[in-house]
PDB file of all heavy atoms in Angstrom:
ATOM      1  N   ASP A 109      27.414   5.217  13.002  1.00 97.00           N
ATOM      2  CA  ASP A 109      27.478   6.590  13.524  1.00 97.00           C
ATOM      3  C   ASP A 109      26.019   7.224  13.388  1.00 97.00           C
ATOM      4  O   ASP A 109      25.598   7.352  12.261  1.00 97.00           O
ATOM      5  CB  ASP A 109      28.452   7.394  12.609  1.00 97.00           C
ATOM      6  CG  ASP A 109      29.389   8.192  13.491  1.00 97.00           C
ATOM      7  OD1 ASP A 109      29.132   8.375  14.717  1.00 97.00           O
ATOM      8  OD2 ASP A 109      30.482   8.662  12.955  1.00 97.00           O
ATOM      9  N   ARG A 177      32.127  22.684  11.752  1.00 94.00           N
ATOM     10  CA  ARG A 177      32.610  23.617  12.789  1.00 94.00           C
ATOM     11  C   ARG A 177      32.959  23.062  14.121  1.00 94.00           C
ATOM     12  O   ARG A 177      33.727  23.675  14.973  1.00 94.00           O
ATOM     13  CB  ARG A 177      31.496  24.709  13.066  1.00 94.00           C
ATOM     14  CG  ARG A 177      31.519  25.795  12.081  1.00 94.00           C
ATOM     15  CD  ARG A 177      30.576  26.903  12.579  1.00 94.00           C
ATOM     16  NE  ARG A 177      30.741  28.061  11.785  1.00 94.00           N
ATOM     17  CZ  ARG A 177      29.940  29.209  11.978  1.00 94.00           C
ATOM     18  NH1 ARG A 177      29.020  29.111  12.874  1.00 94.00           N
ATOM     19  NH2 ARG A 177      30.077  30.230  11.294  1.00 94.00           N
ATOM     20  N   SER A 179      32.833  19.120  16.764  1.00 96.00           N
ATOM     21  CA  SER A 179      32.882  17.687  16.582  1.00 96.00           C
ATOM     22  C   SER A 179      31.521  17.083  16.257  1.00 96.00           C
ATOM     23  O   SER A 179      31.458  15.994  15.547  1.00 96.00           O
ATOM     24  CB  SER A 179      33.494  17.026  17.906  1.00 96.00           C
ATOM     25  OG  SER A 179      32.508  16.955  18.873  1.00 96.00           O
ATOM     26  N   GLN A 180      30.460  17.684  16.673  1.00 97.00           N
ATOM     27  CA  GLN A 180      29.130  17.108  16.538  1.00 97.00           C
ATOM     28  C   GLN A 180      28.471  17.812  15.354  1.00 97.00           C
ATOM     29  O   GLN A 180      28.540  19.018  15.120  1.00 97.00           O
ATOM     30  CB  GLN A 180      28.213  17.292  17.852  1.00 97.00           C
ATOM     31  CG  GLN A 180      28.892  16.541  19.007  1.00 97.00           C
ATOM     32  CD  GLN A 180      29.062  15.042  18.738  1.00 97.00           C
ATOM     33  OE1 GLN A 180      28.213  14.356  18.609  1.00 97.00           O
ATOM     34  NE2 GLN A 180      30.405  14.658  18.679  1.00 97.00           N
ATOM     35  N   GLU A 182      25.357  18.207  14.330  1.00 97.00           N
ATOM     36  CA  GLU A 182      23.950  18.537  14.440  1.00 97.00           C
ATOM     37  C   GLU A 182      23.565  19.840  13.792  1.00 97.00           C
ATOM     38  O   GLU A 182      22.581  20.022  13.115  1.00 97.00           O
ATOM     39  CB  GLU A 182      23.380  18.517  15.881  1.00 97.00           C
ATOM     40  CG  GLU A 182      22.617  17.347  16.169  1.00 97.00           C
ATOM     41  CD  GLU A 182      23.432  16.075  16.267  1.00 97.00           C
ATOM     42  OE1 GLU A 182      24.657  16.145  16.331  1.00 97.00           O
ATOM     43  OE2 GLU A 182      22.755  14.963  16.154  1.00 97.00           O
ATOM     44  N   ASP A 188      16.115  24.828   9.635  1.00 98.00           N
ATOM     45  CA  ASP A 188      14.627  24.669   9.311  1.00 98.00           C
ATOM     46  C   ASP A 188      14.562  24.137   7.844  1.00 98.00           C
ATOM     47  O   ASP A 188      15.177  24.721   6.916  1.00 98.00           O
ATOM     48  CB  ASP A 188      13.996  26.096   9.372  1.00 98.00           C
ATOM     49  CG  ASP A 188      13.878  26.561  10.817  1.00 98.00           C
ATOM     50  OD1 ASP A 188      14.117  25.754  11.704  1.00 98.00           O
ATOM     51  OD2 ASP A 188      13.585  27.805  10.925  1.00 98.00           O
ATOM     52  N   TYR A 238      19.852  -2.557  16.702  1.00 98.00           N
ATOM     53  CA  TYR A 238      20.895  -1.825  17.388  1.00 98.00           C
ATOM     54  C   TYR A 238      20.350  -0.606  18.165  1.00 98.00           C
ATOM     55  O   TYR A 238      20.557  -0.396  19.373  1.00 98.00           O
ATOM     56  CB  TYR A 238      22.047  -1.430  16.437  1.00 98.00           C
ATOM     57  CG  TYR A 238      23.206  -0.847  17.020  1.00 98.00           C
ATOM     58  CD1 TYR A 238      24.165  -1.634  17.690  1.00 98.00           C
ATOM     59  CD2 TYR A 238      23.489   0.508  16.873  1.00 98.00           C
ATOM     60  CE1 TYR A 238      25.285  -1.025  18.263  1.00 98.00           C
ATOM     61  CE2 TYR A 238      24.702   1.129  17.424  1.00 98.00           C
ATOM     62  CZ  TYR A 238      25.608   0.252  18.057  1.00 98.00           C
ATOM     63  OH  TYR A 238      26.748   0.850  18.614  1.00 98.00           O
ATOM     64  N   THR A 244      13.535   3.410  22.967  1.00 98.00           N
ATOM     65  CA  THR A 244      12.314   2.847  22.488  1.00 98.00           C
ATOM     66  C   THR A 244      11.875   3.511  21.208  1.00 98.00           C
ATOM     67  O   THR A 244      11.687   4.733  21.268  1.00 98.00           O
ATOM     68  CB  THR A 244      11.297   2.924  23.590  1.00 98.00           C
ATOM     69  OG1 THR A 244      11.698   2.241  24.797  1.00 98.00           O
ATOM     70  CG2 THR A 244       9.936   2.235  23.098  1.00 98.00           C
TER      71      THR A 244
ATOM     72  N   ASP B 109      29.787  23.175  20.700  1.00 97.00           N
ATOM     73  CA  ASP B 109      29.532  21.789  20.219  1.00 97.00           C
ATOM     74  C   ASP B 109      28.122  21.465  20.703  1.00 97.00           C
ATOM     75  O   ASP B 109      27.879  21.324  21.919  1.00 97.00           O
ATOM     76  CB  ASP B 109      30.593  20.850  20.782  1.00 97.00           C
ATOM     77  CG  ASP B 109      31.141  19.903  19.753  1.00 97.00           C
ATOM     78  OD1 ASP B 109      30.600  19.875  18.687  1.00 97.00           O
ATOM     79  OD2 ASP B 109      32.088  19.233  20.106  1.00 97.00           O
ATOM     80  N   ARG B 177      31.759   5.137  21.062  1.00 94.00           N
ATOM     81  CA  ARG B 177      31.891   4.121  20.147  1.00 94.00           C
ATOM     82  C   ARG B 177      31.941   4.670  18.617  1.00 94.00           C
ATOM     83  O   ARG B 177      32.437   3.967  17.732  1.00 94.00           O
ATOM     84  CB  ARG B 177      30.558   3.302  20.095  1.00 94.00           C
ATOM     85  CG  ARG B 177      30.594   2.184  21.053  1.00 94.00           C
ATOM     86  CD  ARG B 177      29.306   1.342  20.834  1.00 94.00           C
ATOM     87  NE  ARG B 177      29.515   0.067  21.508  1.00 94.00           N
ATOM     88  CZ  ARG B 177      28.568  -0.928  21.526  1.00 94.00           C
ATOM     89  NH1 ARG B 177      27.434  -0.685  20.886  1.00 94.00           N
ATOM     90  NH2 ARG B 177      28.826  -1.937  22.185  1.00 94.00           N
ATOM     91  N   SER B 179      31.887   8.622  16.172  1.00 96.00           N
ATOM     92  CA  SER B 179      32.212  10.102  16.202  1.00 96.00           C
ATOM     93  C   SER B 179      31.075  10.891  16.767  1.00 96.00           C
ATOM     94  O   SER B 179      31.282  11.926  17.475  1.00 96.00           O
ATOM     95  CB  SER B 179      32.522  10.578  14.775  1.00 96.00           C
ATOM     96  OG  SER B 179      31.367  10.867  14.014  1.00 96.00           O
ATOM     97  N   GLN B 180      29.828  10.513  16.548  1.00 97.00           N
ATOM     98  CA  GLN B 180      28.748  11.274  17.095  1.00 97.00           C
ATOM     99  C   GLN B 180      28.347  10.623  18.443  1.00 97.00           C
ATOM    100  O   GLN B 180      28.133   9.419  18.607  1.00 97.00           O
ATOM    101  CB  GLN B 180      27.580  11.216  16.092  1.00 97.00           C
ATOM    102  CG  GLN B 180      28.024  11.812  14.752  1.00 97.00           C
ATOM    103  CD  GLN B 180      28.443  13.249  14.874  1.00 97.00           C
ATOM    104  OE1 GLN B 180      27.713  14.178  15.168  1.00 97.00           O
ATOM    105  NE2 GLN B 180      29.817  13.507  14.597  1.00 97.00           N
ATOM    106  N   TRP B 181      27.951  11.471  19.372  1.00 97.00           N
ATOM    107  CA  TRP B 181      27.723  11.062  20.801  1.00 97.00           C
ATOM    108  C   TRP B 181      26.299  10.570  20.995  1.00 97.00           C
ATOM    109  O   TRP B 181      26.039  10.009  22.081  1.00 97.00           O
ATOM    110  CB  TRP B 181      27.964  12.286  21.760  1.00 97.00           C
ATOM    111  CG  TRP B 181      29.304  12.873  21.609  1.00 97.00           C
ATOM    112  CD1 TRP B 181      30.378  12.356  21.163  1.00 97.00           C
ATOM    113  CD2 TRP B 181      29.638  14.246  22.010  1.00 97.00           C
ATOM    114  NE1 TRP B 181      31.487  13.283  21.230  1.00 97.00           N
ATOM    115  CE2 TRP B 181      30.987  14.412  21.743  1.00 97.00           C
ATOM    116  CE3 TRP B 181      28.875  15.291  22.556  1.00 97.00           C
ATOM    117  CZ2 TRP B 181      31.636  15.620  22.042  1.00 97.00           C
ATOM    118  CZ3 TRP B 181      29.572  16.469  22.793  1.00 97.00           C
ATOM    119  CH2 TRP B 181      30.889  16.698  22.463  1.00 97.00           C
ATOM    120  N   GLU B 182      25.445  10.798  20.066  1.00 96.00           N
ATOM    121  CA  GLU B 182      23.971  10.609  20.366  1.00 96.00           C
ATOM    122  C   GLU B 182      23.625   9.353  20.985  1.00 96.00           C
ATOM    123  O   GLU B 182      22.798   9.365  21.987  1.00 96.00           O
ATOM    124  CB  GLU B 182      23.167  10.759  19.057  1.00 96.00           C
ATOM    125  CG  GLU B 182      22.502  12.102  18.889  1.00 96.00           C
ATOM    126  CD  GLU B 182      23.536  13.159  18.682  1.00 96.00           C
ATOM    127  OE1 GLU B 182      24.644  12.930  18.398  1.00 96.00           O
ATOM    128  OE2 GLU B 182      23.143  14.411  18.754  1.00 96.00           O
ATOM    129  N   ASP B 188      16.590   5.617  27.002  1.00 98.00           N
ATOM    130  CA  ASP B 188      15.342   5.898  27.581  1.00 98.00           C
ATOM    131  C   ASP B 188      15.553   6.522  29.084  1.00 98.00           C
ATOM    132  O   ASP B 188      16.236   5.846  29.802  1.00 98.00           O
ATOM    133  CB  ASP B 188      14.380   4.723  27.721  1.00 98.00           C
ATOM    134  CG  ASP B 188      13.869   4.305  26.382  1.00 98.00           C
ATOM    135  OD1 ASP B 188      13.924   5.094  25.407  1.00 98.00           O
ATOM    136  OD2 ASP B 188      13.346   3.145  26.279  1.00 98.00           O
ATOM    137  N   TYR B 238      22.969  32.166  18.763  1.00 98.00           N
ATOM    138  CA  TYR B 238      23.713  31.325  17.802  1.00 98.00           C
ATOM    139  C   TYR B 238      22.753  30.128  17.249  1.00 98.00           C
ATOM    140  O   TYR B 238      22.723  29.985  16.011  1.00 98.00           O
ATOM    141  CB  TYR B 238      24.901  30.754  18.483  1.00 98.00           C
ATOM    142  CG  TYR B 238      25.901  29.918  17.609  1.00 98.00           C
ATOM    143  CD1 TYR B 238      26.672  30.535  16.742  1.00 98.00           C
ATOM    144  CD2 TYR B 238      25.939  28.449  17.825  1.00 98.00           C
ATOM    145  CE1 TYR B 238      27.568  29.827  15.971  1.00 98.00           C
ATOM    146  CE2 TYR B 238      26.887  27.774  17.021  1.00 98.00           C
ATOM    147  CZ  TYR B 238      27.613  28.467  16.080  1.00 98.00           C
ATOM    148  OH  TYR B 238      28.569  27.751  15.246  1.00 98.00           O
ATOM    149  N   THR B 244      14.581  27.400  14.184  1.00 98.00           N
ATOM    150  CA  THR B 244      13.524  28.252  14.874  1.00 98.00           C
ATOM    151  C   THR B 244      13.329  27.535  16.199  1.00 98.00           C
ATOM    152  O   THR B 244      12.896  26.393  16.305  1.00 98.00           O
ATOM    153  CB  THR B 244      12.260  28.309  14.063  1.00 98.00           C
ATOM    154  OG1 THR B 244      12.525  28.835  12.780  1.00 98.00           O
ATOM    155  CG2 THR B 244      11.188  29.123  14.790  1.00 98.00           C
TER     156      THR B 244
END
Side-chain angles (χ1 to χ4, degrees):
Chain A
D109 226 345
R177 272 188 169 178
S179 77
Q180 302 302 294
E182 259 68 17
D188 291 346
Y238 187 73
T244 302
Chain B
D109 226 347
R177 272 189 167 177
S179 78
Q180 302 301 295
W181 305 335
E182 257 70 14
D188 292 345
Y238 186 73
T244 302

